[in-house]
Amino acid sequence: MYRVCFVCTGNICRSPMAESVFRARVAEAGLDALVEVDSAGTGGWHEGDGADPRTVAVLEAAGYKQDHRARQFRASWFAGLDLVVALDAGHLRDLRSLAPTPEDAAKVRLLRSYDPAATAAEADVPDPYYGSRAGFEQCLELVEAASAGLLEAVRETVKEHTA
């Protein structure tokens, strides 16, 4: 099983959105028996909470399913993960510093690095938490745009491991 974990700050907006979208892409590609998708936050402020209602509304309006409970990322999880996907540069930095080994740090990648249209100046998925629903809709657009490239990268890796 190839394991992917999306990580943002509180695990109630961006990372559960990325988790839902990517899980749907994995299922559409017929890889759901080979790829496990989840999410977490760098902090534990919302542990046990559901996704932000605006996240839920935007996902449901776009046809995505979600059943989410926030949790905090733990360094011990690196051993069981193949890819840790950070939603912004701050998460990338935090996760790499949390990684117990250089090999674990190498598992951490920025989500938008999988979007060929994203420039270095546009590497982050902006945090919509303090804004309006439009920010959540933009977040979904950015996540969807990066998901195709991420799926292709994961498909290639899974194919190598199962060949």
Side-chain angles (χ1 to χ4, degrees), residues 59-150:
L59 285 170
E60 287 178 352
Y64 294 104
K65 296 178 185 171
Q66 68 84 38
D67 180 22
H68 178 74
R69 288 287 162 240
R71 60 199 189 129
Q72 183 175 1
F73 191 89
R74 308 276 185 237
S76 61
W77 296 359
F78 274 106
L81 294 169
D82 298 287
L83 182 62
V84 180
V85 184
L87 276 290
D88 71 27
H91 307 132
L92 181 79
R93 190 173 43 256
D94 291 348
L95 289 161
R96 285 188 174 159
S97 70
L98 188 64
T101 68
E103 293 77 22
D104 289 327
K107 294 176 182 181
V108 184
R109 296 281 308 272
L110 271 173
L111 176 63
R112 298 223 47 223
S113 69
Y114 294 99
D115 181 353
T119 67
E122 302 168 323
D124 293 347
V125 175
D127 187 353
Y129 186 75
Y130 293 104
S132 68
R133 181 178 166 130
F136 287 80
E137 291 166 348
Q138 178 197 23
C139 182
L140 179 60
E141 289 172 19
L142 296 175
V143 166
E144 287 177 329
S147 290
L150 176 57

Side-chain angles (χ1 to χ4, degrees), residues 20-46:
S20 292
V21 170
F22 195 64
R23 183 175 289 121
R25 296 297 179 269
V26 164
E28 290 163 6
L31 298 173
D32 43 339
L34 301 172
V35 179
E36 184 179 289
V37 182
D38 62 17
S39 66
T42 57
W45 311 278
H46 300 287

Side-chain angles (χ1 to χ4, degrees), residues 45-65:
W45 311 278
H46 300 287
E47 234 169 346
D49 294 347
D52 184 289
R54 297 164 295 178
T55 297
V56 174
V58 167
L59 285 170
E60 287 178 352
Y64 294 104
K65 296 178 185 171

